């Protein structure tokens, strides 16, 4: 047993039967019923002393039987909570109650859970059953339940590693960060953060705009990495493929360390990774990884809530904050060496309230270095106010509906699509637009379902709608398109709005619709999300009248006669003004700013403006460049 566990158990003679780690958390098991019910204050004393989270659970030997416990739960919880399942995890003496209304299971200040705990000795937790059944969320939950034993050992091993030679002193170490992808470009985001004790990857994405070749992936073959298992942890900011796409591949190549992220990011990242396999098979290419590798990723995921502070290595302590970009998207705050240096990585972020999400957080306990994205970093990237773009959309849509055309909105499946869904749903429901069908292709529907499982990560307004049984994602304005037959019906039908992936027309349903809708001037395509250099979407956006599709898409020539519009105010990224404001209003002020995730000119433009206006050191690393932070 590690020192820290030994010293804790010594303080609690006789009542503790086992002490283990669950990641950075400490779990004590007691075989004494009285202590389990009344030991809170004693545990709190120890928590105050060692400043680590401790959870007290009952030893297997004193648990009520599963049948009895289920009876108790169903007796205590009111029927309106709509319990969908009760799952026992005997290894951890815990029981998961899945319900449609989790609040009614918890009771006032946790009173019902407490009753269940005291009468059965099981430690109950509550999970929300999504309003739209989500296959992926169900599958992930079942993978985790099926691997309880493995998880227990895995989490204990992580704790052992973190607490090896554990100290609360400030450490005298060096800190450096290497840009392995996403330097002066959008795509394949990946940083390696290193100290003498720890190696951590921040994101590990692919470049979705590039079909193949080494430029699609970050530089993982650098000598600093070497053996993949020398990496202590991977932190994922959000599920978009340019941040997450290569993570299952790490597991394929034998990485077995933890992946830190939010629960919705885990679910959506798994879904997008599965889709990547699908896309590869459709192109008769061999996929980068298999579904088994995605399963390994899920098994090794450690989910954090916003604001939850956790040690991930001996000298890294992380906290995730809302980034306002997509469901579950996080800014990562890393406290290195017990306060020696503090780093904030924004990932992709939006410093503005949208329908879907609250704005990115820009106040932190401490910050010395800020890594900020610059997708819209140049002086010209001033985004019009949200309401202007929304009004423009209504105006354009009305004209098309009048001339009996169809509107195609190519969207990134995650984030942008949901913002659009909320906007369009409201416009049709409230009569701002005539009652035309709004079609959602399968992938977007599936990601909407994950949104309904995690309303706590949504903006306060949408969260309230969900809690008041007014869930916009299950509105009858929205219709799911699940097959190519249904797609043909949409194409043959009357005026409608179609929301489909991919966002840059690089395959997927949006490309299929585009092929069919392009030759009529009655139709309209609106680009609302970022179009990467080299993508088909970028060509169309820039006014190409003839498009040549590659071999994998049938080697066709397409004449573009449809109306083409771009609405930039609706981006899930901060515009130039928001980026500048984010930094100028940041508290505390960073001493060094590293700019990434933008085309070279935009990164450099943002860097020089920040340097001049904030009087702060700025860096715009190229891929493979290393910056010493301490
Ligand atoms: Zn993103």
């Amino acid at each position: 047993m590690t020192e820290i566990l030994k010293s804790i158990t010594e303080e609690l003679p006789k009542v503790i039967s086992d002490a283990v780690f669950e990641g950075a958390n400490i779990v004590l098991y007691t075989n004494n019923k009285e202590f389990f019910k009344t030991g809170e204050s004693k545990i709190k004393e120890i928590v105050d002393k060692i400043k680590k989270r401790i959870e007290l659970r009952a030893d297997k030997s004193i648990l009520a039987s599963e049948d009895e416990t289920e009876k108790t739960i169903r007796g205590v919880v009111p029927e309106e909570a709509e319990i969908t399942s009760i799952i026992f995890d005997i290894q951890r003496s815990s029981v998961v109650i899945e319900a449609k209304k989790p609040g009614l299971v918890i009771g006032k200040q946790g009173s019902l859970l407490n009753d269940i705990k005291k009468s059965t000795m099981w430690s109950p937790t509550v999970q929300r059953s999504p309003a739209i059944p989500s296959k992926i969320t169900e599958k992930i939950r079942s993978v985790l339940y099926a691997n309880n034993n493995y998880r227990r050992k895995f989490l204990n091993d992580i704790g052992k590693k973190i607490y090896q030679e554990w100290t609360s002193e400030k450490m005298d170490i060096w800190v450096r960060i290497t840009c392995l992808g996403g330097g002066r470009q959008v795509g394949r985001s990946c940083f390696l953060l290193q100290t003498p004790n720890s190696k951590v990857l921040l994101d590990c994405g692919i470049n979705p705009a590039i079909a193949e070749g080494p430029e699609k992936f970050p530089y993982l073959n650098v000598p600093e990495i070497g053996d993949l298992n020398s990496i202590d942890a991977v932190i994922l900011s959000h599920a978009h493929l340019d941040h997450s796409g290569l993570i299952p591949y790490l597991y394929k190549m034998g990485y077995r360390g933890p992946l830190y992220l939010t629960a919705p990011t885990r679910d959506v990242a798994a879904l997008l990774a599965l889709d990547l396999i699908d896309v590869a098979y459709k192109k008769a290419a061999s996929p980068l990884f298999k579904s088994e590798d995605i399963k390994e990723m899920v098994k090794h995921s450690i989910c954090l809530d916003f604001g939850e502070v956790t040690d991930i290595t001996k000298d890294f302590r992380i906290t995730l904050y809302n980034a306002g970009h997509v469901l579950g998207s996080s800014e990562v705050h890393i406290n290195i060496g017990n306060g020696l240096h503090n780093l904030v990585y924004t990932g992709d972020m939006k410093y503005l309230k949208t329908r879907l999400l609250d704005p990115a957080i820009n106040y932190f306990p401490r910050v010395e270095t800020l890594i900020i994205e610059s997708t819209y970093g140049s002086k010209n990237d001033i985004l019009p106010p949200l309401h202007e773009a929304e009004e423009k959309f209504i105006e354009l849509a009305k004209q098309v509906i009048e001339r009996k055309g169809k509107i195609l909105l190519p969207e990134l499946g995650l984030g942008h699509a949901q913002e659009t869904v909320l906007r369009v749903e409201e416009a049709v429901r409230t009569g701002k637009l005539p009652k035309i069908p709004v079609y959602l292709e399968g992938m977007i529907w599936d990601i909407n379902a994950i949104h309904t499982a995690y309303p706590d990560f949504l903006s306060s307004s949408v969260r309230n709608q969900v809690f008041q049984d007014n869930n916009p994602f299950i509105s009858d304005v929205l219709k799911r398109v699940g097959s190519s037959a249904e797609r043909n019906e949409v194409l043959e039908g009357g005026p409608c709005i179609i929301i489909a992936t991919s966002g840059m027309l690089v395959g997927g349903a949006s490309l299929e619709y585009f092929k069919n809708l392009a030759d009529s001037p009655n139709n309209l395509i609106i680009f609302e999300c970022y179009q990467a250099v080299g993508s088909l979407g970028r060509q169309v956006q820039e006014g190409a009248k003839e498009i040549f599709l590659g071999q994998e898409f049938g080697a066709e020539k397409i004449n573009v006669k449809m109306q083409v519009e771009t609405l930039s105010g609706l981006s899930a990224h901060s515009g130039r003004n928001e980026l500048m404001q984010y930094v100028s209003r940041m508290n505390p002020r960073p001493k060094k700013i590293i700019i990434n995730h933008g085309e070279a000119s935009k990164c450099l433009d943002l860097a020089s403006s920040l340097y001049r206006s904030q009087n702060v050191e700025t860096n715009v690393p190229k891929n493979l460049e290393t910056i010493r932070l301490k």
Side-chain angles (χ1 to χ4, degrees), residues 262-546:
T262 62
T265 296
R266 176 197 60 195
D267 294 8
V268 182
L271 182 69
L272 295 182
L274 283 168
D275 185 59
L276 210 54
I277 297 180
D278 233 35
V279 170
Y281 281 135
K282 276 184 191 145
K283 285 197 247 170
S286 62
L288 205 53
F289 44 75
K290 298 217 164 84
S291 60
E292 279 309 301
D293 307 313
I294 302 172
K295 201 163 147 187
E296 288 302 319
M297 174 177 91
V298 167
K299 270 166 66 181
H300 294 86
S301 293
I302 299 182
C303 296
L304 302 177
D305 283 326
F306 290 148
E308 184 179 345
V309 182
T310 193
D311 292 281
I312 63 162
T313 72
K314 198 181 143 191
D315 49 15
F316 287 171
R317 183 174 305 145
I318 69 166
T319 316
L320 305 181
Y321 293 88
N322 174 37
H325 172 61
V326 295
L327 176 72
S329 66
S330 324
E331 304 175 307
V332 186
H333 180 278
I334 311 180
N335 170 337
I336 304 164
N338 280 317
L340 182 77
H341 194 83
N342 291 271
L343 169 77
V344 168
Y345 169 55
T346 66
D348 293 357
M349 64 94 171
K350 187 160 186 84
Y351 185 51
L352 198 71
K353 185 171 167 45
T354 57
R355 287 169 187 269
L356 188 70
L357 301 167
D358 291 331
I361 298 289
N362 65 343
Y363 44 91
F364 303 93
R366 277 187 56 186
V367 186
E368 279 83 33
T369 299
L370 169 70
I371 307 177
I372 190 168
E373 66 129 319
S374 59
T375 314
Y376 293 105
S378 95
K379 275 180 211 69
N380 308 322
D381 293 327
I382 307 293
L383 303 182
L386 217 52
H387 70 90
E388 252 175 48
E390 293 200 356
E391 282 156 21
K392 180 87 200 290
F393 169 79
I394 300 280
E395 197 188 300
L396 287 168
K398 272 188 183 157
Q399 291 165 6
V400 178
I401 296 166
E402 233 159 71
R403 63 183 193 235
K404 305 266 183 280
K406 296 184 174 66
I407 302 157
L408 173 60
L409 307 174
E411 294 284 0
L412 275 167
L414 169 64
H416 219 281
Q418 285 73 36
E419 182 71 16
T420 302
V421 166
L422 293 178
R423 170 165 43 87
V424 174
E425 189 273 334
E426 193 206 68
V428 176
R429 178 167 43 82
T430 59
K432 276 188 221 158
L433 284 179
K435 291 249 176 292
I436 52 160
V438 178
Y439 293 110
L440 307 184
E441 274 285 334
M443 170 64 105
I444 290 173
W445 192 269
D446 294 343
I447 296 178
N448 284 0
I450 300 175
H451 282 65
T452 68
Y454 299 103
D456 291 334
F457 285 85
L458 300 174
S459 69
S460 46
S461 45
V462 179
R463 194 163 57 226
N464 286 340
Q465 276 181 285
V466 172
F467 289 160
Q468 288 158 9
D469 271 339
N470 197 11
N471 191 331
F473 292 109
I474 51 176
S475 158
D476 54 12
V477 170
L478 308 173
K479 316 254 181 267
R480 180 176 198 262
V481 183
S483 63
S484 50
E486 286 174 0
R487 192 175 296 163
N488 285 335
E489 280 172 33
V490 173
L491 286 167
E492 283 157 21
C496 62
I497 297 175
I498 303 158
I499 307 176
T501 58
S502 69
M504 304 184 205
L505 298 180
V506 288
S510 65
L511 181 59
E512 291 307 311
Y513 284 110
F514 174 72
K515 283 191 206 171
N516 284 287
L517 300 176
D519 71 346
S520 165
N522 283 342
N523 298 329
L524 163 69
I525 184 168
I526 306 181
F527 293 105
E528 300 181 341
C529 54
Y530 177 78
Q531 303 298 313
V533 178
S535 64
L536 184 63
R538 181 74 164 245
Q539 292 175 48
V540 177
Q541 186 183 36
E542 286 177 347
K545 291 288 168 229
E546 285 183 338

Side-chain angles (χ1 to χ4, degrees), residues 544-564:
K545 291 288 168 229
E546 285 183 338
I547 297 285
F548 297 92
L549 293 183
Q551 202 67 42
E552 72 267 38
F553 300 119
E556 279 178 58
K557 188 182 105 177
I558 295 178
N559 293 315
V560 186
K561 294 185 195 147
M562 75 195 300
Q563 186 185 355
V564 177

Side-chain angles (χ1 to χ4, degrees), residues 3-32:
E3 281 306 311
I4 189 163
L5 293 186
K6 237 188 251 165
S7 67
I8 294 171
T9 39
E10 272 161 17
E11 295 212 24
L12 299 166
K14 295 202 187 121
V15 294
I16 298 303
S17 56
D18 197 7
V20 295
F21 297 112
E22 282 185 3
N25 297 344
I26 292 161
V27 181
L28 303 177
Y29 289 88
T30 178
N31 48 16
N32 182 311

Side-chain angles (χ1 to χ4, degrees), residues 238 240 242-243 325-326 348 573:
H238 67 289
H240 280 152
D242 57 330
H243 297 255
H325 172 61
V326 295
D348 293 357
H573 293 270

Side-chain angles (χ1 to χ4, degrees), residues 176-193:
R176 61 180 211 172
I177 190 159
T178 307
C179 183
L180 300 179
R184 303 189 179 201
Q185 65 175 176
V186 175
R188 59 168 169 170
S189 277
C190 187
F191 280 106
L192 171 68
L193 183 64

